[in-house]
Amino acid sequence: MLPDERVVLSMKRALLDNPLARPAALAELQARVAVHAEVHTRIVAAVRRANARLARVEQVKRVYLLDRELSLEEDEITPTLKVKRKNLEKKFAAAFDRLYEDASTGLEIGES
């Protein structure tokens, strides 16, 4: 079940007011949304639309959703919110490998 629209709007307002703010229930909400079937369907549809403008070799084939934000505390982003790619490559190496090896991992984009 997707969260109540009032909760989503409240979080959206808080984040627009202060993008670095993290309302107390945000992590729990992100975890719930990341596994929701409707969210998966919408993400796959958005990636398919983007893929339509790309050459086949450039297209996204599979997507993996984290159930949380990347974090400064986990050394995944810088204080200016830039992604630390090398750290993520190490930390999520097993997940990346599974995306290439196991068709049941991640959201399969496929042909539209």
Side-chain angles (χ1 to χ4, degrees):
M1 172 192 257
L2 282 175
D4 183 288
E5 189 174 343
R6 288 173 292 165
V7 172
V8 173
L9 290 175
S10 162
M11 298 249 183
K12 181 180 175 181
R13 273 193 302 278
L15 291 169
L16 286 173
D17 288 344
N18 179 1
L20 298 178
R22 292 295 169 255
L26 182 61
E28 187 269 330
L29 178 63
Q30 288 173 317
R32 282 180 43 210
V33 168
V35 296
H36 197 278
E38 183 180 341
V39 171
H40 291 188
T41 300
R42 288 181 180 197
I43 289 172
V44 167
V47 172
R48 282 184 179 158
R49 284 191 304 273
N51 277 349
R53 297 185 300 265
L54 299 172
R56 187 156 177 82
V57 297
E58 298 173 308
Q59 293 179 356
V60 173
K61 308 294 189 272
R62 199 171 286 138
V63 176
Y64 182 81
L65 299 179
L66 288 179
D67 61 354
R68 64 177 180 78
E69 287 187 297
L70 297 178
S71 119
L72 185 63
E73 294 78 18
E74 296 286 329
D75 201 32
E76 298 164 337
I77 57 174
T78 68
T80 57
L81 306 180
K82 294 181 181 91
V83 174
K84 292 185 171 182
R85 291 176 187 258
K86 289 186 194 273
N87 292 2
L88 293 180
E89 287 171 3
K90 287 182 206 167
K91 185 174 204 161
F92 295 108
F96 293 150
D97 289 344
R98 282 193 311 271
L99 283 172
Y100 287 98
E101 296 168 359
D102 183 1
S104 68
T105 301
L107 301 178
E108 188 73 37
I109 303 303
E111 305 274 334
S112 45

